[in-house]
Amino acid sequence: MATITTEDLVQVSASYHGKIVATISSTGFASLAEVLKAVRSSIGTIVGIIELSVRNASQGWRENRTMLISPLKPGTQLSLF
């Protein structure tokens, strides 16, 4: 498995049904799990299978991955009176 350190420049593109829905280019990720969390938060309400292209520009590797996005569990609505 490819490694990621906080100094690495990581570039990610996420596509849904062939359309790019998010791109991220940043440093500071300590793991692939953190990259996936950032993708999840950046795609909004999309649910389904997302195709990812993850590139570590600092170390010179690229991986293609598939990610299943499940619907978020409904939260509790609080009312102010």
Side-chain angles (χ1 to χ4, degrees):
M1 182 171 142
T3 59
I4 296 175
T5 66
T6 55
E7 295 83 26
D8 293 341
L9 174 62
V10 178
Q11 300 169 321
V12 184
S13 66
S15 61
Y16 180 68
H17 294 296
K19 181 180 175 185
I20 300 291
V21 293
T23 57
I24 298 171
S25 182
S26 185
T27 59
F29 296 111
S31 66
L32 186 58
E34 287 184 8
V35 174
L36 298 179
K37 275 186 183 179
V39 169
R40 175 68 176 103
S41 66
S42 69
I43 61 171
T45 59
I46 293 175
V47 175
I49 296 177
I50 305 294
E51 299 290 328
L52 300 174
S53 175
V54 181
R55 177 176 182 253
N56 187 324
S58 301
Q59 294 185 20
W61 57 260
R62 175 186 305 264
E63 283 187 0
N64 293 319
R65 292 180 164 256
T66 304
M67 182 175 173
L68 176 63
I69 304 294
S70 300
L72 293 174
K73 295 178 184 176
T76 303
Q77 176 144 358
L78 300 177
S79 299
L80 296 175
F81 295 100

